Each structure stands twice: as C-alpha cells, then as structure tokens.
Amino acid sequence: MKHQLKNPHAVSIVKTATGIQLLAMTVILGAVVVISTGMGYIQIPWSDVIRIFYAKISGNIQSINTLDQILPVIIMDVRLPRILTAAAVGGGLAMSGTVFQGILLNPLADPYTLGVSAGAAFGASLAFILNLQIMSTLSVPLLAFLGSTLTLFAVIYLSSTHEGISSNNLILSGIIVAAILSAAISFLKYIADEQVAVIIFWLLGSFASKTWTDAGLTAATAIAGCGVFLFFARDLNLLSMGHKSAASLGVDVKKVPLVLLVTASLVSAVCVSVSGIIGFVGLLVPHMMRLVTGPDNRRLIPVSMLAGAVLMLSADTITRAVLPHEIPIGVLTALIGGPFFCYIFRKKQHQGKGF
Amino acid sequence: MAFRLDHIAFGFPGRRVFTDLSLILETGHFYGIIGPNGCGKTTLLDLMARLRQPSAGQIRFGEQELTAIAKKKLARQIALVPQNFYINFPFTAHEVVMMGRYPHIPRFSAPSSEDTRTVQAVMESTDTEQFSDRLITELSGGERQRVVFARALAQNTPVMILDEATSNMDINHALNLLSLTADRVNKKGTTVIAVFQDINLAAMFCDQLIFMKDGCISAQGPTNSVFSADTVASIFHVKAMVRFEPFVDANQALFHPGGLAE
C-alpha cells in the first residue's frame, strides 16, 4: 500500500495491462468457441473444426473434401448459430449488467432489476397463449421485446421527478412493476392449459435450435451497444462520483444516464427475447471482472463483455454436450452463479471492502 | 466580473428558497458565504455551478449568460467541491484526482504528460500522494475529502466553488488546503466562492464575506468591515464578541455559550 505512483510510465503500464487483459479474453473466447463447436453427440477434433472454419471463411471448400461431409453441416448449420448466440447473449447481458450497476450506483443491479425480464416474460407468455399465427416463429421474441421495452418506459416514467431520475426510484419502480407482471404471468399460466409447459420452458431460458438470424441479431445488438457504452464509459466513471461532481466535470447528468439506461435495456431486451430468462450472468460477471480490471468502465465494459460471452458459452456447452440430459441453461447459471456470488460477496465482506 | 445574478427566483416543490436575489461577484476574490442551516447557501452554489436552473432571473458568468456555455467548456471554467459526495466504486485516489483533468482531455485520449505532472504536483501539495494507490472507498472521511479537493485543484479552473469543502478535515489539512486555494487567488487571480460553517476560519482566508439569511443577502463586503458582533447576532441569534486578532490578521469571533441574542 505504500507503493507510490511516482513514475510517469504508470499510465502506460495500465494501458498495457488493459491490452493484455483484452487480448487474453479474446484468445480464451476464440478457444472456447472452437472447443465447444467440437463437443457434442458427434465429437469433432478441434483441428478439423479449425479446418472447416478456415475453409468456410476462405471459400476454399476443396481443402475439407477428405473429411466426412456431414461435419461441415453439423458445425455451420447446427452448432455454430447456437454457440454464437450464446456468446453474444452472454456478452450483452454482462455488459448491460456493468452499465446498470454503474448508473444505478447499486451493486445488485442487473439487466433484470428494472423489470426488463418480467416484461419480456409477460410478452412471451402472451404470445404462447394467443398462439399467434402471423410471423409464427418471430411472434415470441417480438412480443418479448415489446414487453420489455414497454416495461422499461413505464419504469422510467414512474421514477422520473423534476430533477431527473434517481436510482432508488428506478429500482423501487422496477420491483413494483415486475411484481405486477409476475402476477399477470401466473394468471396466464393458470389459464394456459396445454401451453403451460411451453411457457415454463421458455421462462427457464435455452439456446436450443437457435438460427443464424438469432446469432446475427444478438451479435449486432451487442456490438452496437458496446460502441455506445464505450463512447460514454468515461462519463459513467464520473457519474459514480455522484451527480454534482459529474456535472461539474462536464457530464450531462440528465442525458447520459438516460441514453445508457435505454441502450442497456434494449441490449438486454434483445438478449432475453432470443434466449429466455437467464439470470446471474449480468450480476456476476461485472463483480468478477471488477476484481481484475478495477472499476474504470473503459476497461471493465469490454472485458466484461468478453468474459460474459465465455461464461455463457461454457455453461451452454455443459448443458448441451457434457450433461447426460440437457437442462435449461437458466437453471444452470442460477445454480452455479448463485453460490459463486455468495462466495465473492462473503470474501469481499471479509476484506472489509464491502461493495 | 465573475458572476452577476439578477433577480433570481428559485424553489423546490412546496418550498421557496429565493424570491428575488441579486448578487455581483468580482474576479480574483476569495468569497466566503456564511449563514444558518437551510438558508439557501448550497442552493446558491448549485445555481452558480449550473447544477440547477433559476425559475426567474438571469445568471451571467463573465460576459456570457451561464446557460449559453457548453457543459464541457464550463467544466474548464468552474470546479466544484460538493458538500456530500459518495463514491461507490473502488477507484484509487490517483484515478479520482485524474478525473479532474478529464475536461481537458479529449474523450478517447490518454492523459498527456502535462496532465500527469499537474496531478502529481497537486497530490504532493495536498498531502494526498501518500495514498495515491489506495482505494477511495477505504479512506477515512477527511482523507476522501482531501482527495476530492485535490481533484478540484487539478481541474485548474479560474473559478472554484467550495461547499464546506474542509468540514471533515483536521485543522492542519484544512489550513493547508485553504492556503493553497488562497495562493491561487493571490497569484493567479482565481475566484473562489466558498460556503463555511466556521466563521473564524472563513475570516482568516476570505477577503469578502457574504452573510445570508432566509434566502436573502443580509450583508456583503470586505471581511473586516462586515464581520461584526451585530451581524453575527442578527444572522445567528447568538451573543458574540468580534475583534481584530493580530495573530491571524483578521477579525475573529468569540461566542457566549449561554444566552441567545434577543
């Protein structure tokens, strides 16, 4: 603790450390993608996976003629869309969690605190009940997305005062609206008859049978969101000094939190509408990564995104390829993430750092 | 002229703070604002730092209307040490002081060597360098306040607004930081507007005092002429004796523990 930051190279050391962390996370993500693509009912060696990736990207199909012709189909049409969707959703949820915790100045905030998940769940349940024939495959994600965004705006409306939005009001409004919506979901389940199993399965979250459309949509959303978050990352640092300090350092304290809040909610709404409710990733990853990168959002946000992608993909691969029966991923993340969160929480208490 | 407030009105829902307040503050002075709790001192600072907008009247900063200045530009003109600050995330003290340089650093750029030097110099002079690498969440209240004060000094602005900025510090550090601030007033022509609870501390450093009561300015002027027993009695309703004290080279008050002034 007595070490002093005397040398002017300290800044460049920090920059290098950030570069190494980002590079390491990117390499790990790449490795996890390759390894989990090879895993499953039909095991494919990772060298063949890389050959197939390379052949598909370069367009040089000749180079994989020696391999079983079913393998490229399994990889490109079955496994990769699911894998990329899982990674994008994990990254999106972790990144939004980081931003929610930063804006709401509350370490318990995650993409679901503001009722985003309850809104999505209500929308999806409604879609199953009404059994909408129009745009049959899209009706569930579309209504889930509508549900979560409408909920978000209701929550923001409820909590806004003449002085802008306060984090306590937001969390309180989020909890109230989520409570109302979960009662409504219970009612929908009650009247659902044979649809009730479908609703429950969706609520537990799953990446089974995801398509390239899902993967593209979530990845594009996550990347766009990451761009917005990084643009405002420095302002987000200042906001954690309190609104008065942030304003005196040039941050627009009415506009910036709102832009970040809406962006983070839209990113998580897209994630939820594609995958169902998957808890704990958005809560846990920012806490874990803050121990590695420190609280500076310019480092924390990109590292959290990559870590969330790695974690979600690993969890999905466990349910898909390791466990004898596939269990819903939302159950798995809660069963692993919950106790692990308790562990980190307890450890931080012992160090006297609180949150 | 640094600030000119013309017929300002401001209120919170259900409570009026100012109905018609006018005030002129000149460049290069150390202003102390004194008044009882709830008389609108912090609100006045908030209005000048543009954290709140008056419901009527006009505030001019220099030659311009305050609202016409871009936020980033204003952050290079006015630094603020707020009264209540909470820092929820474990930034290091050095990172917090560096935040004072943000208004001078483009969004995606790293701090220049000048920024690093400024932060280093400020941390040395404010005696915060010793916990440069410690987490702000682990510091004591007074230490944290010194870091936040250092951040405002690092911002290096022509105007500083201090809201009871030394309230948690021990007397040694309070005197040190206020002297640093007074140096800037004398050498660089910085304008300082500071709210104080301790009227004697204010008199030591401020060349101008502004006494407030119930959202009005009740007295304003050079410290030694406006700081009198009568003023203190009428503002705070306490019995006080005020005399020039050569040891500190300013008027100082002694308060009677018993009776309130009638």
Side-chain angles (χ1 to χ4, degrees):
Chain A
M1 285 302 171
K2 289 286 169 220
H3 170 70
Q4 294 188 355
L5 207 71
K6 266 222 163 81
N7 59 28
H9 304 296
V11 176
S12 63
I13 291 170
V14 170
K15 289 212 85 140
T16 318
T18 311
I20 290 170
Q21 284 163 358
L22 280 175
L23 189 70
M25 290 309 295
T26 313
V27 169
I28 293 172
L29 179 59
V32 174
V33 167
V34 170
I35 291 167
S36 38
T37 308
M39 290 169 72
Y41 181 68
I42 297 173
Q43 293 284 343
I44 306 169
W46 60 269
S47 53
D48 289 353
V49 172
I50 292 178
R51 277 172 69 191
I52 292 167
F53 280 176
Y54 181 73
K56 288 293 176 185
I57 292 168
S58 65
N60 183 8
I61 307 297
Q62 310 301 326
S63 64
I64 50 170
N65 276 349
T66 51
L67 295 173
D68 188 342
Q69 287 309 301
I70 193 71
L71 296 186
V73 178
I74 292 177
I75 289 181
M76 299 309 292
D77 294 346
V78 181
R79 289 188 188 164
L80 211 51
R82 172 172 185 162
I83 282 168
L84 294 181
T85 308
V89 166
L93 289 177
M95 197 167 56
S96 318
T98 312
V99 172
F100 279 124
Q101 290 175 11
I103 299 174
L104 300 180
L105 298 174
N106 189 316
L108 285 177
D110 80 342
Y112 303 144
T113 313
L114 298 180
V116 170
S117 72
F122 179 75
S125 308
L126 205 62
F128 286 121
I129 291 279
L130 299 175
N131 207 358
L132 294 174
Q133 296 302 317
I134 336 138
M135 306 178 296
S136 52
T137 52
L138 275 179
S139 68
V140 171
L142 201 68
L143 275 186
F145 180 78
L146 278 178
S148 53
T149 39
L150 287 178
T151 310
L152 169 73
F153 287 115
V155 167
I156 290 180
Y157 170 75
L158 266 179
S159 53
S160 53
T161 64
H162 67 288
E163 286 190 27
I165 39 181
S166 88
S167 65
N168 279 348
N169 284 353
L170 271 170
I171 291 171
L172 205 58
S173 316
I175 288 171
I176 295 166
V177 172
I180 298 170
L181 284 172
S182 70
I185 293 166
S186 299
F187 177 70
L188 288 182
K189 280 192 212 160
Y190 179 72
I191 60 167
D193 290 336
E194 73 269 23
Q195 298 286 355
V196 72
V198 194
I199 294 179
I200 289 174
F201 189 74
W202 190 89
L203 290 181
L204 292 172
S206 172
F207 290 110
S209 63
K210 288 300 155 205
T211 62
W212 278 106
T213 316
D214 297 321
L217 185 69
T218 42
T221 312
I223 289 167
C226 188
V228 175
F229 297 150
L230 284 180
F231 185 79
F232 288 113
R234 198 173 79 167
D235 293 347
L236 190 55
N237 288 349
L238 294 178
L239 282 170
S240 62
M241 301 286 117
H243 274 203
K244 278 192 183 185
S245 292
S248 76
L249 289 163
V251 179
D252 189 331
V253 294
K254 281 193 177 148
K255 190 188 83 184
V256 172
L258 201 63
V259 168
L260 286 173
L261 206 60
V262 170
T263 311
S265 301
L266 290 181
V267 170
S268 34
V270 169
C271 291
V272 173
S273 62
V274 166
S275 66
I277 312 293
I278 302 173
F280 276 99
V281 174
L283 180 64
L284 191 63
V285 173
H287 280 292
M288 282 165 54
M289 291 303 112
R290 212 172 274 127
L291 297 175
V292 179
T293 64
D296 190 333
N297 290 291
R298 290 172 294 184
R299 300 193 288 273
L300 181 59
I301 288 172
V303 171
S304 289
M305 179 179 77
L306 293 169
V310 168
L311 211 72
M312 186 70 95
L313 178 52
S314 308
D316 185 51
T317 305
I318 290 172
T319 73
R320 178 174 63 85
V322 178
L323 297 178
H325 294 288
E326 180 161 344
I327 64 165
I329 187 166
V331 174
L332 190 76
T333 56
L335 282 181
I336 298 176
F340 191 69
F341 183 79
C342 294
Y343 168 73
I344 292 184
F345 180 70
R346 196 64 209 148
K347 204 176 150 198
K348 280 194 179 180
Q349 300 293 320
H350 272 294
Q351 289 167 348
K353 290 185 183 176
F355 269 107
Chain B
M1 176 186 67
F3 279 100
R4 184 194 183 96
L5 284 73
D6 271 329
H7 305 290
I8 295 300
F10 180 84
F12 298 105
R15 188 167 75 90
R16 290 221 64 74
V17 182
F18 304 124
T19 43
D20 181 11
L21 182 128
S22 296
L23 183 65
I24 292 175
L25 301 177
E26 301 290 342
T27 306
H29 288 284
F30 199 139
Y31 288 96
I33 301 178
I34 307 282
N37 301 144
C39 72
K41 302 185 294 285
T42 296
T43 310
L44 180 63
L45 296 189
D46 286 352
L47 289 171
M48 287 195 277
R50 212 178 65 184
L51 301 174
R52 300 181 190 283
Q53 308 299 327
S55 55
Q58 194 195 40
I59 303 178
R60 293 186 74 82
F61 175 66
E63 299 304 310
Q64 276 177 294
E65 203 169 326
L66 190 60
T67 46
I69 304 170
K71 288 192 164 64
K72 263 279 152 53
K73 197 177 166 209
L74 196 66
R76 290 192 288 266
Q77 298 292 317
I78 304 176
L80 170 77
V81 181
Q83 184 178 15
N84 298 314
F85 48 88
Y86 43 87
I87 298 173
N88 295 41
F89 291 104
F91 288 97
T92 65
H94 185 269
E95 284 175 315
V96 173
V97 179
M98 183 56 89
M99 287 179 188
R101 298 303 300 167
Y102 280 8
H104 304 275
I105 306 172
R107 190 179 288 273
F108 293 113
S109 302
S112 70
S113 55
E114 191 207 329
D115 296 316
T116 317
R117 268 199 308 276
T118 307
V119 168
Q120 186 66 36
V122 163
M123 292 193 82
E124 274 167 25
S125 63
T126 53
D127 195 24
T128 50
E129 195 203 13
Q130 47 174 320
F131 34 76
S132 181
D133 281 355
R134 276 177 59 196
L135 303 181
I136 192 85
T137 43
E138 293 175 350
L139 299 179
S140 77
E143 288 172 330
R144 211 175 303 162
Q145 200 174 29
R146 272 151 64 196
V147 172
V148 172
F149 204 122
R151 184 187 72 201
L153 288 169
Q155 208 170 335
N156 208 2
T157 50
V159 175
M160 292 183 74
I161 295 180
L162 314 176
D163 195 355
E164 298 183 26
T166 58
S167 56
N168 294 322
M169 294 179 202
D170 61 55
I171 187 69
N172 175 356
H173 288 110
L175 293 174
N176 175 35
L177 285 176
L178 290 171
S179 306
L180 282 175
T181 313
D183 270 357
R184 289 205 174 178
V185 176
N186 296 330
K187 290 181 185 150
K188 297 166 78 174
T190 303
T191 310
V192 179
I193 302 143
V195 164
F196 282 91
Q197 281 306 332
D198 186 336
I199 189 169
N200 287 335
L201 196 62
M204 277 187 238
F205 292 98
C206 303
D207 58 311
Q208 294 271 325
L209 287 185
I210 297 162
F211 286 89
M212 282 180 74
K213 192 183 175 185
D214 300 330
C216 298
I217 309 285
S218 34
Q220 180 190 2
T223 298
N224 287 344
S225 59
V226 77
F227 180 16
S228 67
D230 289 345
T231 317
V232 173
S234 71
I235 296 281
F236 291 106
H237 303 290
V238 292
K239 272 189 210 158
M241 182 182 78
V242 176
R243 64 167 181 228
F244 180 78
E245 179 52 65
F247 184 64
V248 300
D249 192 27
N251 279 12
Q252 295 284 285
L254 290 171
F255 301 99
H256 194 277
L260 303 176
E262 54 292 326

